[in-house]
Each structure stands twice: as structure tokens, then as C-alpha cells.
Amino acid sequence: MSDRPEMFEGADRIWMDGEFVDFEDAQTHVLTHALHYGTGVFEGVRCYDTEQGPAIFRWEEHLDRLYKSAKPYDLDIEFSKDELTEATTELIETEGFESCYIRPIVYYGFDSLGVSPKNCPTKTTIAAWPWGAYLGEEALEEGVDVMVSSWRKHASSQIPTNIKTTGLYVNSMLAGEEARRNGYTEAIVLNKEGNVAEGPGENIFMVRDGEIYTPGLAESILEGITRNTAITLAEEMGYTVHEEATISRGELYTADELFFTGTAAEVTPIRSVDDNEIGEGTKGPVTDDIQSAFFDVIESGDREEWFRYI
Ligand SMILES: Cc1ncc(COP(=O)(O)O)c(C=O)c1O
């Protein structure tokens, strides 16, 4: 195991097309269609160590999104939702994870290498490994410094942006790396019209005068599951949420609060944008309410409809 990248040290097996294989044997050919053309769809899911034991958060919603993502590309997933659920729970159980990140991916495999994937098989793989806070523990408390990227998000007339296609993440990588090269933790990406879309791997929320705003699906955003969780929790706490908002760049700078949501980033406050302090430059009270409600749910695990217990 010595040459295993540190990130995956805790993982022994991966599920590939119906079988569990040793981590080192989970290989694909270099002429795989998806490697050349980005023709894969995937999910990022978390299993939490809740008071009810390990439980996958919003598994059904992630699975539904995986199948939706596959649809426009005619990726015919050869396994049923029940089979993928069984594979995932067995993987977590046998690996002995209390909490982990789960990465299902479905992609066009190895056969022909024209742009048309005509004869390429559809490959389905599920991996899981322990993974802590994506933007760092400190970020959850103190917030992150972000910049507006010079890269724009694809328009949804160019490629479906509401679903999770591997090829889309070239844009995310460019934006995120530009931000980090310039000393920021993360980027905010504007859409083709110049309005706020989302982060490279996060949805974004804005708080103004006690009300909550988040860009709508037509703004070139992923239909985030944590976004939906945050909206649900905020509404339950009595907040007004404008979930089809159009947010201009200027509104970012004058916002009372901003925060990111995502499976990896969870609920992360944003403390500055392009070196402009947001609010008091710390986690704001509305962000704190939503973040606390979010962590209460995942720590207790007692909201049954959102968990699949292992
Ligand atoms: C581009 C993008 N936007 C938003 C999100 C947040 O989505 P979710 O909350 O479903 O993880 C992600 C992460 O998956 C993402 O990659």
C-alpha cells in the first residue's frame, strides 16, 4: 500500500460493474472514451457517522440525479437503483467506514474512439473513502476568501449544467485553480450573462435584509442537493427563500452574508469576495442558523427521509 496516494489510504476495495475488486485492480484502458471526451456522469455523496450509526445522506436524491445525468448522453446504466444501493451499502459495511465520501461514476468505456460512443460499453463504478471538510475545518467556522473568476460557466444551451457530467469540471478546475493561484480559497463563477452562477463545486446563497437568495436553475447551476437541503431547513426556520433569483456581481459585494453549499463543502461561509469584506467578515447569523441546522441533522441522523442507514 506504500505507493497509494494519501487521500485513498483507507480504501481497500472498489465496486466495478457488479464485482468488488481490490483498490489497485480498479483500472481502465487509456483509450477509454470518457478519458478523451469527458463522457461520464458522476455523484459525490457523503455517509455520516450519525447518532443512529453510519448513514448515507440523501442517497435516493443522489441516485436519481445520477440517472438523470446519464439520460442526455444515452448512457444506459446496466444496474438498477436497488443494485447500486446494495453495492454501496455493502462497500461501506465491508470497508468498515463510519463516515466516508462516496463517488459513483458511469462512463463510456473502451471500444471505439470516434466522438460517437456508439459501440462503447457503459461502465459503472462506485468508490468510497474517508474524506474530511473539503475547504478545511477552519473554513466552516471562519469562512473563505473567494474571487470572481475570469472564466464564465457554460451556458445551459451549450451543455446541460443542471446535471453532473465529468467534462463540465474542466471549467470548475480552471476557475478554482485561478483562484488558488491568486491566493484565494475558492472561486465564484458567473454565467454567460455575467450574473452569479455558483462555485466550481458549490452552490451559492446570499442574505440581504434577512431574506435568502440563490440563483435559479436557468442561471447555469447544478441542481444541488445540499442547496435543496439548505432551502428546506431555512424555510422550516421561517426564512423567506428566493430560490429562482438572478444575482448580479455587484450584489455580491454589498450582501449581508454569503455562503456556499455542497456535499463536499457542506455549508461554508464566504467572508470576502475580491478582497471586499462581506458583512462583518465572519460567519453571519443567518448562515450560522442554516449551518447549525444542517449539522444538527447530520449529527443526529434522525430525519429518516434524508438518510439511508447502513
Ligand atoms: C458545480 C457544482 N455545483 C454545486 C454543487 C453542489 O451540489 P450538491 O449539494 O448536490 O453536492 C456541486 C457538487 O456536487 C458542484 O460540483
Side-chain angles (χ1 to χ4, degrees), residues 38-249:
T39 49
V41 298
F42 69 105
E43 273 305 315
V45 193
R46 274 190 193 267
C47 173
Y48 285 105
D49 182 18
T50 75
E51 284 160 18
Q52 330 285 323
I56 311 176
F57 187 57
R58 308 207 68 177
W59 173 250
E60 272 71 26
E61 291 84 348
H62 281 284
L63 208 48
D64 284 350
R65 191 171 63 187
L66 183 70
Y67 281 77
K68 272 190 206 157
S69 296
K71 204 169 164 216
Y73 304 106
D74 286 330
L75 273 161
D76 185 17
I77 305 179
E78 287 166 13
F79 299 90
S80 68
K81 289 183 182 176
D82 284 348
E83 286 170 318
L84 295 190
T85 302
E86 203 182 306
T88 304
T89 51
E90 191 180 336
L91 181 65
I92 295 170
E93 224 167 359
T94 54
E95 293 282 283
F97 296 144
E98 273 154 6
S99 64
C100 62
Y101 183 83
I102 307 159
R103 169 56 58 85
I105 179 166
V106 179
Y107 59 95
Y108 279 116
F110 170 52
D111 185 277
S112 57
L113 206 50
V115 172
S116 168
K118 201 167 52 146
N119 297 318
C120 294
T122 298
K123 309 294 284 178
T124 306
T125 289
I126 302 167
W129 64 92
W131 198 5
Y134 180 61
L135 298 173
E137 285 294 338
E138 197 192 319
L140 293 171
E141 228 19 74
E142 308 293 330
V144 287
D145 299 311
V146 307
M147 68 172 274
V148 173
S149 177
S150 65
W151 295 101
R152 295 285 174 93
K153 200 95 200 166
H154 306 275
S156 56
S157 56
Q158 295 169 314
I159 182 165
T161 48
N162 55 323
I163 55 176
K164 236 170 138 58
T165 309
T166 58
L168 271 177
Y169 284 80
V170 176
N171 177 264
S172 291
M173 194 205 83
L174 286 168
E177 291 309 292
E178 179 189 34
R180 285 180 277 280
R181 253 198 323 273
N182 285 283
Y184 300 91
T185 302
E186 191 56 300
I188 292 175
V189 192
L190 306 179
N191 62 20
K192 197 163 154 276
E193 289 70 38
N195 297 318
V196 176
E198 59 182 350
E202 306 88 1
N203 291 113
I204 190 168
F205 285 75
M206 175 179 85
V207 180
R208 192 176 60 208
D209 299 330
E211 298 194 355
I212 299 172
Y213 298 77
T214 194
L217 293 182
E219 303 294 322
S220 296
I221 64 158
L222 180 73
E223 190 170 6
I225 291 161
T226 323
R227 173 182 183 274
N228 174 274
T229 304
I231 292 169
T232 306
L233 294 172
E235 286 178 341
E236 284 175 5
M237 286 186 282
Y239 287 109
T240 300
V241 183
H242 305 270
E243 56 180 286
E244 297 292 328
T246 299
I247 300 175
S248 67
R249 179 173 181 168

Side-chain angles (χ1 to χ4, degrees), residues 146 188 196 204-214 247-259 270-273 276-287:
V146 307
I188 292 175
V196 176
I204 190 168
F205 285 75
M206 175 179 85
V207 180
R208 192 176 60 208
D209 299 330
E211 298 194 355
I212 299 172
Y213 298 77
T214 194
I247 300 175
S248 67
R249 179 173 181 168
E251 287 173 278
L252 291 174
Y253 304 119
T254 57
D256 297 331
E257 300 176 36
L258 294 172
F259 61 92
I270 296 171
R271 68 178 172 200
S272 74
V273 179
N276 295 282
E277 200 172 84
I278 304 305
E280 305 292 311
T282 54
K283 180 174 25 169
V286 179
T287 306

